[in-house]
Amino acid sequence: MANHVSLTRYLVEQQRVDGSIPSQLRLLIEVVARACKSISHAVNKGALGGVLGTAESENVQGEIQKKLDIIANEVLIEANEWGGHLAAMASEEMEDIYVVPNRYPQGEYLLLFDPLDGSSNIDVNVSIGTIFSVLRKPEGAAVTEGDFLQSGGQQVAAGYCVYGPQTTLVLTVGHGVAMFTLDREQGSFVLTQEHVKVPEDTQEFAINMSNMRHWDEPTRRYIDECLQGTDGPRGKNFNMRWIASMVADVHRILTRGGVFMYPWDKREPNKPGKLRLMYEANPMSWLIEQAGGASTNGHERILDIAPTQLHQRVSVVLGSKNEVERFQHYCAQADKAS
Ligand code: AHG
Ligand code: MN
Ligand code: MN
């Protein structure tokens, strides 16, 4: 089609219209997109590319790494280290930050990523993805881990690429959310949706129900009321989806609404939740807010949380605004009663 808008053209036009994307940031986003394209090819090859299965190593979270976790991590680092747009990177798969080597110029941005989200779905051919978040490096000489500890509200770009029936890149630079589908014949991402909006109400929730016995009171109450359907206080029936890839669950919510929940639970009471704040919850929360939805840990807006550790975890409830606010209200009521 003649009027296809590529990611490159979209970024150039955004830059021209309101100067919202400095050229270094534009380069950064294009490089991340290129890396995602190459991860998408590796994912597509599957068994033919020898990329399935475990890698016999653990990451800093104590999780067994899959071969594709490591491949995706390497692809992102190799693509991003030489362009001059970054000072350092941080990843779910690396304990420490990765400072751009001296042989390359240092840029003014910091890139954080979950190279492969939904690892448990790799070998079973279910949607997985890459999540990324971009921060500005604070003033100062050498880059440190402390430079990364900025709240989600400071992000200058965030997005994900979902490797599903289609490969779709979803992006925000703070002016709404746009979606780009990978055209494999052209080898480029093409704009397929702009001004993405999450409906304020929904009848669909996403939570791992197998953890029900470990939940706290507000989570139990919220889900229990949904399950009662038309007979309960909500007066309507709810549907449930759980893909076990946050990218795929969030993508569905950006497409048709819903609420995604990975709350704190009693399995590991000392951890605030399972998901990681800096490269899972923050970028997804910003996308959801940019699309008119909401995101909370039950007590505060995720984007307001002041991080203290690179790999810190967080309780996450995000999606359709009225549902997220309802859950927050239940948390406030439970706090008051205790
Ligand atoms: P990752 O593969 O990067 O470790 O993330 C997996 C996360 C998230 O994508 C998903 O929503 C959740 O873990 C699934 O958890 P359960 O296996 O507990 O359902
Ligand atoms: Mn993940
Ligand atoms: Mn991961």
Side-chain angles (χ1 to χ4, degrees), residues 111-188:
L111 174 66
L112 299 99
F113 44 83
D114 175 354
L116 221 289
D117 176 66
S119 306
S120 72
N121 283 323
I122 297 172
D123 295 348
V124 293
N125 202 357
V126 171
S127 297
I128 50 182
T130 297
I131 310 173
F132 64 93
S133 162
V134 184
L135 296 165
R136 210 171 263 118
K137 177 188 166 299
E139 297 292 316
V143 57
T144 64
E145 184 171 312
D147 291 340
F148 283 82
L149 303 181
Q150 305 179 40
S151 70
Q154 303 295 311
Q155 292 172 104
V156 292
Y160 64 82
C161 187
V162 58
Y163 313 116
Q166 302 110 44
T167 288
T168 308
L169 182 80
V170 180
L171 174 72
T172 186
V173 288
H175 299 278
V177 176
M179 295 187 177
F180 304 84
T181 305
L182 180 61
D183 180 337
R184 289 189 187 278
E185 283 148 35
Q186 301 295 325
S188 60

Side-chain angles (χ1 to χ4, degrees), residues 1 62 101 183 190 227 253 271:
M1 272 199 285
D183 180 337
V190 176
L227 295 177
I253 290 170
K271 287 186 185 162

